[in-house]
Amino acid sequence: SMISVLVLCHGNICRSPLAGVLLEAAIATDPALSQRVRVSSAGTSNEHEGEGMHEHSAALLARRGLRAEHRARQLTIPLADQQDLILVADRWNLRDARSIVASGIRRAEVRLIRDFDPAAQGSDLDDPWGYPESAYERAAEEISAALPGILESLRAR
C-alpha cells in the first residue's frame, strides 16, 4: 500500500517544497520505494497560500534538473489525516503539526527532518527566508544529509 509523506514548514515556499522535491528525487532512484511513496508538502501558515516556491528554492532545484513548479498550501486536519509521516523543518512546525494531527482521526508520525541525519539529531532546519541564496544552499545540504536516513526509515515501513 502507498505510504504518504508530507513535508512541512511555516509558509510552504522555501524549506518544505525544497525538501519535498529532493526527497521525491531520492525516492525515484530507489526501486524499493519508487512505486510505494507519495510525497507532498504544506505549511503551518496560510500567508503564502497559492504562491509558487521562493525564487532561490526554485533556482536551486532547477540547477539540479529537478521540478520547481509548486503551489503553497496550509496543513489542514483533513490533509494531516491522509498522511503516514509528516517531516517537519523545525521545532515550531513540530509543535504545530502535532496539535493538528491530534485533532484529526488518523495518527501520522511527526518527525524533524534533521533527526534522520545522525550528525544533526534534534536540530532545526533554519528558515532561509530573507537570507541570501547561500542560506538556501545550506538548507539543501542539511536536507540531503537527512535523506539516507529518511529512505531507510521508509523502507522499514
Side-chain angles (χ1 to χ4, degrees):
S1 61
M2 280 304 265
I3 301 167
S4 288
V5 180
L6 181 128
V7 189
L8 185 79
C9 70
H10 178 74
N12 192 212
I13 59 165
C14 298
R15 293 169 293 176
S16 58
L18 179 59
V21 174
L22 291 173
L23 176 57
E24 209 174 62
I27 284 167
T29 67
D30 188 314
L33 295 175
S34 58
Q35 303 303 313
R36 288 185 55 222
V37 184
R38 183 172 41 236
V39 180
S40 65
S41 70
T44 56
S45 128
N46 67 354
E47 64 197 74
H48 297 287
E49 190 89 41
E51 290 179 28
M53 67 177 86
H54 189 283
E55 60 179 338
H56 291 333
S57 290
L60 193 157
L61 291 168
R63 279 197 299 275
R64 287 164 169 75
L66 299 171
R67 72 170 177 85
E69 74 279 356
H70 174 70
R71 284 289 157 260
R73 61 180 180 168
Q74 185 175 28
L75 180 64
T76 59
I77 293 167
L79 184 55
D81 275 345
Q82 295 166 22
Q83 309 309 318
D84 298 299
L85 176 63
I86 299 176
L87 296 170
V88 305
D90 63 37
R91 72 195 84 160
W92 296 280
N93 310 148
L94 188 69
R95 179 200 61 202
D96 294 343
R98 283 189 172 144
S99 84
I100 292 165
V101 166
S103 311
I105 308 295
R106 280 188 66 196
R107 295 285 175 265
E109 184 187 354
V110 182
R111 298 278 305 275
L112 282 164
I113 291 169
R114 298 197 72 198
D115 270 353
F116 291 92
D117 174 1
Q121 286 191 325
S123 303
D124 290 336
L125 181 67
D126 293 327
D127 193 348
W129 193 87
Y131 290 92
E133 211 160 343
S134 58
Y136 290 76
E137 286 289 352
R138 192 184 69 227
E141 282 166 25
E142 292 177 352
I143 291 160
S144 298
L147 290 175
I150 294 170
L151 294 190
E152 194 181 331
S153 153
L154 289 170
R155 279 185 225 109
R157 278 179 175 261

